[in-house]
Amino acid sequence: MPYPSAAVLEPRKSPTQARSTASVDAILKATVQVLLRVGKERLTTTRVAERAGVSVGTLYQYFPNKRALLQAALRRNLEDVGDAVELACKEQEGKTLREMATAVVTSFIDAKMRDPRASIALYSVSSDVDGARIVQQMKIRHSQAIVRMLATSSEPLATDPQLVADMLQGTVGGVIRAILESSAPEKQLDVLREELIVVACAYLDACSARASVQDAGGIGDADEELSTEILDAARKDIAKRLKGAAHG
C-alpha cells in the first residue's frame, strides 16, 4: 500500500487568531481521545469533529484527511517533549555534567510518559503518518539544545558535544521505545528513570575523565570504548528489566 505524500498530510492552513488556535487545539486533543477510545481503524474525521465540538467543515479547513489529523497529533506530542527538553537544557547551562545528564533524562522521560496511553497510541500510528521524518526533526532539535547546554558545562568534556548528544538521545530514545512496546509501560517507569540517570551520569563521567587524561598527555582507544560499553551494558540491563516487568 503506497504511503501518502507529505503534501497530503500537511495541514491545509495554520491558525492565525486565538479562536482558530483554540479550534485546532480542541481538534488535536479530540483526535487523541477518539484514537484511544475506538482505535485508528475506526477513527474518522466526523467522530473527531463531534468530540472537538466543531463542524466537519471547520476541521477540514485545517486537516484534509484522517492521516493528516493523526500526523498533527503525533507532531504535537513530540513537540511537547522537545519543549520540555529545551527548557531543561536552558535551565542547566553552567552546571555540572551530572546535573545536565539528570535533567536531560528526567525531562525527556517525564514529558514523553506524562500521558502513557496517549504516547503509546500515537507511537502505534507513527509508521502510518511518516512519523520517522518528524522524529528525525525532533532529534535535531533536541541535539542542538543538548550541545548548547554542554558548551556551558563547568567541567571539561573531551568528547565531541555532538557525539555526546547523539549518544544520550540514542540511549534515552531506545529505552523509551522499549517502554512503549512493553505490555506494562508504567510498571517500572520510576526505576528505569533512575537507571537511565545512572547510565547517563556514568557516560558523562567517562567523557570528563578522558579530558583529564588528555590534559595529562595521553588517551587511548580503551577510554573511548569504555563509554560505549557503559551504554551497551545499560541498554541490555534495562531491556531485561522491561521483559521481567512484562511477565511479572
Side-chain angles (χ1 to χ4, degrees), residues 29-159:
K29 183 177 180 180
T31 300
V32 175
Q33 292 171 341
V34 173
L35 177 63
L36 288 172
R37 190 174 75 246
V38 303
K40 66 178 181 180
E41 299 303 330
R42 296 178 60 201
L43 182 147
T44 65
T45 53
T46 299
R47 280 181 165 146
V48 171
E50 289 176 352
R51 180 70 180 179
V54 302
S55 69
V56 175
T58 296
L59 184 150
Y60 279 133
Q61 288 180 21
Y62 301 102
F63 305 103
N65 51 50
K66 166 181 167 177
R67 285 192 175 91
L69 269 176
L70 290 170
Q71 186 189 70
L74 174 64
R75 182 181 292 278
R76 173 67 62 87
N77 177 270
L78 295 177
E79 286 178 343
D80 286 346
V81 176
D83 290 343
V85 172
E86 284 184 337
L87 177 60
C89 288
K90 182 67 176 176
E91 292 175 343
Q92 297 304 310
E93 288 182 0
K95 297 188 178 180
T96 67
L97 291 171
R98 279 179 165 258
E99 288 174 310
M100 291 177 174
T102 300
V104 169
V105 170
T106 301
S107 62
F108 198 110
I109 290 186
D110 287 357
K112 189 64 178 176
M113 301 305 292
R114 184 175 294 123
D115 186 345
R117 292 180 65 239
S119 290
I120 291 168
L122 290 169
Y123 178 75
S124 71
V125 304
S126 177
S127 61
D128 299 329
V129 295
D130 199 17
R133 180 171 62 90
I134 303 174
V135 169
Q136 185 58 38
Q137 292 170 351
M138 292 302 106
K139 281 183 178 179
I140 293 172
R141 180 180 169 185
H142 297 161
S143 180
Q144 291 172 340
I146 294 171
V147 168
R148 286 195 299 268
M149 174 187 70
L150 291 172
T152 71
S153 173
S154 61
E155 299 171 315
L157 185 69
T159 308

Side-chain angles (χ1 to χ4, degrees), residues 179-191:
I179 292 173
L180 294 176
E181 292 171 358
S182 73
S183 59
E186 297 175 302
K187 195 166 184 179
Q188 288 199 348
L189 185 58
D190 290 340
V191 172

Side-chain angles (χ1 to χ4, degrees), residues 158-159 206-207 209-229:
T159 308
C207 292
R210 289 206 303 275
S212 299
V213 173
Q214 282 182 323
D215 290 341
I219 183 170
D221 292 339
D223 298 291
E224 189 71 38
E225 291 171 358
L226 174 60
S227 300
T228 302
E229 289 174 0

Side-chain angles (χ1 to χ4, degrees), residues 14-27 54 58 62 76:
S14 300
T16 56
Q17 298 179 352
R19 185 174 178 181
S20 298
T21 300
S23 294
V24 169
D25 288 344
I27 290 169
V54 302
T58 296
Y62 301 102
R76 173 67 62 87

